[in-house]
Amino acid sequence: MVVLAASIVSKSGKVLVSRQFVDMSRMRIEGLLAAFPKLIGTGKQHTYVETENVRYVYQPIEALYLLLVTNKQSNILEDLETLRLLSKLVPEYSMSLDEEGICKTAFELIFAFDEVISLGHKENVTVAQVKQYCEMESHEEKLHKLVLQSKINETKDVMKRKASEIDKSKIEKNRGDKGGFMSLQSMGSGRIESKFSDMSISSSEGGFGSGSGFGLTTDVDSFSSKSKGRQPSSAAAPPKGLGMKLGKTQRTNQFLESLKAEGEVILDEVQPKAGLSKSAAPPPTDPITLTVEEKLNVTLRRDGGMNNFDVQGQLSLQILNQDDGLIQVQIETGGNPGILFKTHPNMNKELFANENILGLKDPNRPFPTGDAAGVGLLKWRMQSADESMVPLTINCWPSVSGNETYVSIEYEASSFFDLRNVVISVPLPALREAPSVRQIDGEWRYDSRNSILEWSILLIDNSNRSGSMEFVVPPADSSAFFPISVRFSAASTYSDLKVANVLPLRGGPPPKFSQRTQLVTENYQVV
């Protein structure tokens, strides 16, 4: 069975859709389809017509013909089965079986015909399978849309940054032209007679608008203007001959308010809040909270090997109520011989060495309360040259091919830890557009301002101990992709230190306590 073409033609002979499955010239297929209406006899029940070279197998569909052009050696029973399947597909894609409806869905019909017939031979498929195949997502199309969206987002970022730079330059220009904040002729209906000697406009906490990312320090020396006209209001001008420092005084506030009333833009001084740069831990709810935290400092070499591996840990105690201060803490260490523990100078070292109990030298002295950061009880440190101790290794393979650089990055995680919120930051050369990410296990984000590609994996556990990413950038030296920085956290530690119990010194039941354990990266790089 060889199907030469599948077509839909009108009863007047107009070709609406035609799909050829073998090589043939346009002139030949047009000639075959043009001869078909002349060969159909009237009043006959046959569904095929033969000529010297080809056979026409057709089926009427309202005012149209669904037509298969085959060679004469083709099995007509299989041709009829193919025709029957195509006749079921046409109404699935075309809502109206007329010329307009067929022309609107021409490409959908061609795609469906391709799923049924391959190189002239019928595929063993059903109507449902054909619809499923045609509706399947295209990876290339999805990737194209992602790249397009990333370009749009990058353009928006550039637009916002340019607008911000223009606004800043306007503000600086106005300050230079107007002697600081404003044109003093705009205050009141007359002119001002005043003199500002050694005026200092400064900010000790990052400057005006420190929240917007820049500071401002301006010294205005002996600014004066001659009086011509009536005096301005007392709220707008300081007394003659007095220096004035813009601070948090009532007179300063009146001065700034008058500027705002004249339409000037005044950036209020914003005091940065301490601790915003650090991820704030949730406030404790239990009377006693013990926190085990280890900070990891690792430097790996790009060609393999390790330059530095250092773990520093601390056990902190936080007590909400002063009544719970008379306690001792019993701990269990993991028995790692490479870890060196060091107690606080106020701790009873003999008690800790013999019984693993942390208590003050003076048992009648309570632990301090109310410290949000907690009181450090115990510190430890571990250093190693064993690469198997590293929780996450990164391999980066840049290779230049033609006018492109292909960068393949893979990670391998040890089975000791389940890593959370993993972010692998890869520096890139200066790019005009976002890199083309071809394959990735996880999510990615391009920071155009710092030219950094961030690869994010929410969780690395036994299901994904290894993963890879591949992206393409213009030609660049391999050193441009280093150093690679890594951030993550884990709910277990190298020391495996645990709080076994909290012992009250006044007797009674043990107080309620909670334990927090985390491993975080402080400086983790591949250089």
Side-chain angles (χ1 to χ4, degrees), residues 65-84:
Y65 283 115
L66 177 61
L67 172 66
L68 293 182
V69 182
T70 69
N71 56 19
K72 296 184 69 173
Q73 292 76 30
S74 177
N75 189 332
I76 191 170
L77 295 179
E78 292 186 7
D79 293 341
L80 290 174
E81 183 64 27
T82 305
L83 185 67
R84 189 177 301 109

Side-chain angles (χ1 to χ4, degrees), residues 421-459:
N421 302 320
V422 181
V423 179
I424 302 172
S425 301
V426 184
L428 301 180
L431 302 177
R432 308 177 83 180
E433 58 184 15
S436 174
V437 178
R438 301 291 179 86
Q439 182 270 331
I440 188 169
D441 296 326
E443 302 292 335
W444 67 278
R445 185 182 75 89
Y446 176 57
D447 183 358
S448 58
R449 176 170 299 180
N450 299 314
S451 191
I452 292 177
L453 179 63
E454 293 186 348
W455 178 13
S456 302
I457 305 102
L458 190 61
L459 175 65

Side-chain angles (χ1 to χ4, degrees), residues 16 37 39 54 69 139 171 197 199 249 280 299 332 347 392 431:
L16 306 180
L39 299 174
V54 297
V69 182
H139 177 71
I171 293 173
S197 299
M199 177 185 289
T249 63
T299 304
E332 295 178 356
M347 294 290 110
L392 187 69
L431 302 177

Side-chain angles (χ1 to χ4, degrees), residues 153-206:
N153 295 337
E154 182 186 1
T155 305
K156 290 181 180 178
D157 293 340
V158 173
M159 180 181 65
K160 291 179 182 178
R161 187 166 65 252
K162 292 293 183 183
S164 177
E165 292 175 357
I166 292 173
D167 291 341
K168 291 178 184 178
S169 63
K170 287 183 178 178
I171 293 173
E172 294 296 332
K173 184 178 179 182
N174 291 337
R175 289 196 182 112
D177 294 343
K178 300 178 182 180
F181 284 100
M182 60 169 293
S183 175
L184 294 179
Q185 282 92 359
S186 65
M187 294 180 59
S189 59
R191 300 201 178 188
I192 300 176
E193 179 183 3
S194 61
K195 181 176 181 181
F196 298 84
S197 299
D198 298 329
M199 177 185 289
S200 177
I201 306 169
S202 63
S203 170
S204 61
E205 295 292 336

Side-chain angles (χ1 to χ4, degrees), residues 31-306:
L32 292 174
L33 296 178
F36 170 69
K38 303 174 184 177
L39 299 174
I40 301 176
T42 58
K44 295 183 179 180
Q45 299 296 324
H46 297 164
T47 57
Y48 71 94
V49 176
E50 291 186 352
T51 63
E52 293 183 2
N53 300 318
V54 297
R55 177 188 296 137
Y56 298 93
V57 184
Y58 62 93
Q59 177 177 334
I61 304 178
E62 295 187 4
L64 308 173
Y65 283 115
L66 177 61
L67 172 66
L68 293 182
V69 182
T70 69
N71 56 19
K72 296 184 69 173
Q73 292 76 30
S74 177
N75 189 332
I76 191 170
L77 295 179
E78 292 186 7
D79 293 341
L80 290 174
E81 183 64 27
T82 305
L83 185 67
R84 189 177 301 109
L85 179 58
L86 294 181
S87 67
K88 294 179 181 178
L89 283 173
V90 172
E92 294 288 340
Y93 290 95
S94 179
M95 300 302 295
S96 59
L97 298 178
D98 52 15
E99 291 188 17
E100 183 179 1
I102 297 297
C103 292
K104 283 183 178 180
T105 57
F107 287 102
E108 288 80 1
L109 290 171
I110 289 175
F111 296 152
F113 287 176
D114 284 344
E115 297 295 337
V116 176
I117 303 173
S118 176
L119 300 176
H121 299 275
K122 179 181 178 296
E123 297 285 345
N124 188 19
V125 292
T126 62
V127 175
Q129 288 176 330
V130 171
K131 292 184 65 177
Q132 181 182 1
Y133 296 157
C134 291
E135 292 172 0
M136 289 177 68
E137 293 185 358
S138 169
H139 177 71
E140 288 77 9
E141 179 184 3
K142 194 173 182 180
L143 182 61
H144 172 73
K145 290 181 178 179
L146 289 175
V147 172
L148 184 62
Q149 186 62 39
S150 67
K151 291 181 180 179
I152 294 174
N153 295 337
E154 182 186 1
T155 305
K156 290 181 180 178
D157 293 340
V158 173
M159 180 181 65
K160 291 179 182 178
R161 187 166 65 252
K162 292 293 183 183
S164 177
E165 292 175 357
I166 292 173
D167 291 341
K168 291 178 184 178
S169 63
K170 287 183 178 178
I171 293 173
E172 294 296 332
K173 184 178 179 182
N174 291 337
R175 289 196 182 112
D177 294 343
K178 300 178 182 180
F181 284 100
M182 60 169 293
S183 175
L184 294 179
Q185 282 92 359
S186 65
M187 294 180 59
S189 59
R191 300 201 178 188
I192 300 176
E193 179 183 3
S194 61
K195 181 176 181 181
F196 298 84
S197 299
D198 298 329
M199 177 185 289
S200 177
I201 306 169
S202 63
S203 170
S204 61
E205 295 292 336
F208 286 87
S210 60
S212 64
F214 65 94
L216 168 66
T217 302
T218 308
D219 294 328
V220 183
D221 296 329
S222 67
F223 179 90
S224 63
S225 65
K226 299 300 180 181
S227 173
K228 291 183 180 181
R230 61 184 182 181
Q231 296 293 331
S233 60
S234 59
K240 185 185 292 186
L242 293 179
M244 175 177 168
K245 183 177 181 180
L246 295 183
K248 297 182 179 179
T249 63
Q250 182 178 2
R251 183 172 298 175
T252 301
N253 292 336
Q254 292 175 350
F255 180 67
L256 295 179
E257 290 296 331
S258 65
L259 297 182
K260 292 180 181 179
E262 295 295 334
E264 294 292 334
V265 178
I266 304 300
L267 299 176
D268 295 332
E269 184 175 357
V270 179
Q271 300 292 340
K273 297 180 180 179
L276 288 180
S277 60
K278 298 181 180 180
S279 57
T285 57
D286 294 307
I288 300 173
T289 302
L290 292 125
T291 303
V292 179
E293 183 181 56
E294 288 184 351
K295 295 182 179 179
L296 186 60
N297 292 272
V298 175
T299 304
L300 303 173
R301 293 194 296 266
R302 69 183 74 176
D303 55 352
M306 180 172 59

